[in-house]
Amino acid sequence: MADSTPLLSHSPPKLNDISSPEEIIEPFFGSCGIEWPQILQVILVSLACFFEAQQTFITIFTDAIPTWHCTQLNNTNCNSMSNICQLSTNEWNWDKPIYTSIVSEWSLHCSDNPILQGLPASSFFMGCLLGGLVLGLLGDTIGRKTMLFFGCLIMSMASIFIAFSNNIWMYSALRFLSGYGRAAIGSSVLVLSSESVAKQYQGQVGTVGFLMSTLGFVSLPGLAYFSRNYSWRVLYLWTSLPTIIYCMLLQFCVYESPKWLLSKGKNREAFAVLTTFVAPHFKNLSLNDHKVKIDNGFNQPLIKILLKKRWILGQLLLALTTGFGIGLMYYGMPLGLGNFSLNLYLSTGLNAMLELPAFLIVFFLVEKCKRRSTLVGLSILSGVCGMLCMIVDKWKVLQLVLELISFFSACTAFDLFLIYTSELFPTSIRNATVSIVWQAVVLGGVVSPVLVDAGGDRSKILPYLVLGIMTSIAGSLVIFLPETKGLDLCKNMEEKEQEGNGASYVMNGV
C-alpha cells in the first residue's frame, strides 16, 4: 500500500516502525530544543510576511480620496458639505498635487461607477484567490521554499510595474498579478516555519509570521506620511524594491522543509538540513537501512483525496466558511477607513499597531486557549462592533474605539485561525489545505471593498450591517470543527481514520 525508502536516524532516537515524516524528524528536533540555525530559518522565512503586509494594505494610501478646498472665498455654492462633482473645476481644488493619489490623478472621484474606486483592491484579492488555488496546491509538489520564492518574486515584480501604470485598468491588472504572487506567501511561511522546529514550538513559531506582518503594516503609515507630497508611485517603489533583495536572500540562506524532503524520498537533502539544524547535538547523524512508509496522500491530487476522504472535505468546507467570515472584517475594516470621518494616517497607524498585541496574545496563549470557543467569541465581537461603528457616526471617538475593537478581534481571530487550520489536516495535504483556507479569508477581502463602495455616500450603514452579520454567523461555524488544543499534529490519513469515524469526528469535535 505504501512505498518504502531509507530512513534518517542516529544512535539515540529509536526509529523502528516509523510511518510518518513527523515521527521520523521529531526524535531529532525534540531531543535538542530549538537551535540558532532553526531560529534564523524561522526569522528569514517569516520576513516575507513583512513585505506581503505592505502590498496588501498599500491601497489605503495610494487609492485614498484626497482632501480638497474651495478656491473662491465668497462662493456660497462651495463648502465642506458640497459634492465636488456638482461644482465647476474653478470653484475647488485638491489640497495636494493630483499625483499623490490615483483618485485625483485619474479623476475617479466623479466616476459614474462607484465600484471603480474599489476595483484595484478587489482585483488584488481576486488575484490572491486564483493564486491560492493554483500556487497553493503546488506547495506540496515543488516544495515550501520554492513556492515562497516565486510568490515573493511575482508580487514584487508586479508592484514595480504598477509604478508605471497610466490608467485604472492597467493598475488593476497589475494589482491582480501582485495578489496572485502574494497568495503563495502566507501558507508557505506558516508551513515551512512550523516544519523546521519540534512540535512543542510549532504554535509559537507559527505566530512569528504574524509579527512580521504587523511590523510591515506598521511601517506603511510612516512611509506613506513621508511620501505624502510625492507621487503614489514612489510608495510602490519603496515597498517593492527591497523585496527583490529579500528574494535573493531567501534563495541562498533558507533551507527546504526536512519533513517535505523526506516525504518526497529526498533523504540525502533532508539529512543535510537536519545536520545543519541539530549537528551540535548529534555528531553521528547518518543514513542507515531503516525503512519508512510514506503516506500515499503525498502522491495523490487533493481533489482525489477530498472525494475519497469525506471527513477531510467536511472539515475543509467548514474552515472555508469560517475563514471567509473572518476575512470580511480583517480586510474590510482597514481598507474601509476612508469611509470614516477620521484622520487616515492616525487611524491606519492605530489599526496597524493593534496587530502587535493580537500577535502577543496568540503567541503566549496559543498553547492554553481552546481554539473553537475563542474563535467564536472573537468573530461575534468583531461583527457586532463593526456594525455599531457606522451607526455611531456622530461620535468620532466612540466610532474609532468600536472600529479598533472590531479590527483587533478580527486580527486575533485571523492569527489563531490559521494556526488552528494547520493543526486540522495531515502533513501530506497541509500546505494545500492551509493555502485554500487562507484564500477563503482573502475572498472576504475581495467582497468587503466592493460591498462597502457599493453603498456609496447614501447608504454607508447597510454594508457594515451586512459585514457584521456575515462575520458573526460564519465565524460561529467553527464550533462544528474538532478541538485541537493539546493534541499532536495530524499524522498520515490512514492513522487519522483509525482514530475515529470521519463524520462523527467533524460533527462531535472529538
Side-chain angles (χ1 to χ4, degrees):
M1 179 179 69
D3 299 327
S4 295
T5 56
L7 176 65
L8 284 168
S9 85
H10 82 64
S11 53
K14 303 299 182 180
L15 298 174
N16 297 320
D17 302 322
I18 300 297
S19 60
S20 72
E22 280 84 358
E23 292 178 321
I24 302 169
I25 301 296
E26 195 58 35
F28 302 104
F29 283 170
S31 300
C32 61
I34 183 169
E35 297 297 315
W36 278 109
Q38 294 169 288
I39 295 175
L40 183 60
Q41 163 96 346
V42 170
I43 293 175
L44 289 176
V45 169
S46 301
L47 189 58
C49 292
F50 179 92
F51 304 106
E52 176 258 347
Q54 290 183 329
Q55 295 306 319
T56 299
F57 296 107
I58 194 172
T59 53
I60 296 175
F61 301 100
T62 60
D63 301 11
I65 301 176
T67 55
W68 59 277
H69 62 274
C70 298
T71 57
Q72 301 174 0
L73 296 179
N74 297 323
N75 186 351
T76 58
N77 294 326
C78 182
N79 55 65
S80 60
M81 302 301 293
S82 300
N83 185 343
I84 58 177
C85 297
Q86 298 176 355
L87 300 175
S88 61
T89 55
N90 63 346
E91 292 181 296
W92 69 278
N93 201 358
W94 299 113
D95 290 343
K96 297 178 182 179
I98 62 171
Y99 51 71
T100 57
S101 170
I102 68 167
V103 174
S104 53
E105 181 171 336
W106 294 330
S107 301
L108 302 178
H109 54 287
C110 293
S111 172
D112 294 332
N113 189 351
I115 298 179
L116 200 60
Q117 291 182 20
L119 180 62
S122 292
S123 296
F124 177 80
F125 288 112
M126 284 189 286
C128 291
L129 189 62
L130 179 62
L133 296 175
V134 177
L135 301 180
L137 297 178
L138 292 176
D140 291 318
T141 303
I142 66 175
R144 289 48 162 138
K145 173 187 170 181
T146 304
M147 198 69 268
L148 181 60
F149 171 78
F150 281 113
C152 289
L153 185 63
I154 293 172
M155 181 186 72
S156 58
M157 291 301 298
S159 297
I160 291 174
F161 285 115
I162 284 175
F164 302 96
S165 301
N166 54 21
N167 59 64
I168 185 64
W169 305 109
M170 180 180 179
Y171 178 77
S172 299
L174 288 170
R175 284 293 291 168
F176 177 89
L177 183 60
S178 177
Y180 183 86
R182 178 258 186 193
I185 295 176
S187 59
S188 297
V189 167
L190 182 61
V191 175
L192 181 54
S193 297
S194 63
E195 291 184 351
S196 298
V197 298
K199 62 182 179 182
Q200 64 262 38
Y201 301 107
Q202 288 173 344
Q204 287 86 350
V205 160
T207 62
V208 177
F210 302 138
L211 173 61
M212 293 297 180
S213 180
T214 300
L215 296 177
F217 193 6
V218 168
S219 70
L220 196 56
L223 291 173
Y225 182 79
F226 286 112
S227 63
R228 64 189 183 281
N229 293 320
Y230 296 95
S231 172
W232 57 267
R233 306 168 194 273
V234 172
L235 189 57
Y236 271 103
L237 292 176
W238 280 6
T239 55
S240 57
L241 290 176
T243 315
I244 298 294
I245 300 175
Y246 170 74
C247 288
M248 294 186 288
L249 189 67
L250 179 66
Q251 181 66 21
F252 296 106
C253 299
V254 170
Y255 298 95
E256 182 57 86
S257 164
K259 294 181 182 179
W260 180 85
L261 290 170
L262 191 60
S263 73
K264 293 298 182 180
K266 300 181 179 182
N267 292 351
R268 295 190 179 279
E269 291 88 340
F271 164 72
V273 175
L274 278 176
T275 301
T276 302
F277 285 169
V278 300
H281 290 267
F282 300 116
K283 302 294 185 181
N284 298 322
L285 185 63
S286 61
L287 290 169
N288 62 20
D289 295 328
H290 286 280
K291 304 294 181 179
V292 57
K293 294 182 179 180
I294 301 299
D295 185 6
N296 288 330
F298 281 105
N299 303 313
Q300 296 180 15
L302 179 61
I303 298 298
K304 184 176 180 180
I305 294 174
L306 293 177
L307 293 177
K308 291 176 61 177
K309 316 288 185 182
R310 295 300 178 88
W311 63 272
I312 296 181
L313 179 60
Q315 287 189 27
L316 183 58
L317 292 176
L318 286 171
L320 289 174
T321 307
T322 301
F324 173 76
I326 293 174
L328 286 173
M329 282 299 178
Y330 178 74
Y331 292 114
M333 296 309 292
L335 292 175
L337 286 174
N339 295 293
F340 300 98
S341 303
L342 303 170
N343 181 284
L344 186 61
Y345 296 100
L346 175 62
S347 56
T348 303
L350 290 175
N351 274 265
M353 287 188 291
L354 279 179
E355 292 217 28
L356 182 57
F359 154 77
L360 293 174
I361 288 175
V362 175
F363 181 84
F364 288 109
L365 299 181
V366 67
E367 300 299 333
K368 301 178 181 179
C369 66
K370 291 185 177 181
R371 277 49 167 158
R372 297 184 302 172
S373 56
T374 304
L375 287 170
V376 171
L378 290 171
S379 298
I380 294 176
L381 180 61
S382 178
V384 171
C385 290
M387 290 186 284
L388 293 176
C389 67
M390 189 56 71
I391 296 176
V392 298
D393 183 57
K394 295 182 179 180
W395 296 277
K396 305 304 178 186
V397 175
L398 180 58
Q399 183 185 50
L400 177 60
V401 170
L402 289 172
E403 190 278 330
L404 292 175
I405 293 175
S406 178
F407 178 72
F408 175 75
S409 302
C411 184
T412 308
F414 174 74
D415 293 352
L416 179 61
F417 179 67
L418 290 179
I419 294 176
Y420 176 49
T421 302
S422 69
E423 297 171 342
L424 281 174
F425 301 100
T427 302
S428 57
I429 58 171
R430 183 172 299 136
N431 195 89
T433 50
V434 169
S435 179
I436 292 174
V437 171
W438 196 301
Q439 302 326 306
V441 179
V442 168
L443 182 60
V446 175
V447 173
S448 53
V450 175
L451 182 59
V452 170
D453 289 330
D457 295 329
R458 293 167 296 182
S459 179
K460 289 186 176 181
I461 296 179
L462 183 59
Y464 283 90
L465 288 176
V466 174
L467 288 177
I469 293 173
M470 293 176 67
T471 297
S472 300
I473 295 176
S476 298
L477 293 179
V478 74
I479 198 67
F480 295 108
L481 287 169
E483 180 60 64
T484 60
K485 175 182 176 293
L487 301 178
D488 292 341
L489 289 178
C490 297
K491 300 175 183 179
N492 60 49
M493 286 179 285
E494 284 79 5
E495 291 179 346
K496 178 57 65 177
E497 285 186 321
Q498 292 175 4
E499 294 176 5
N501 179 268
S504 61
Y505 182 73
V506 173
M507 301 306 297
N508 298 331
V510 295

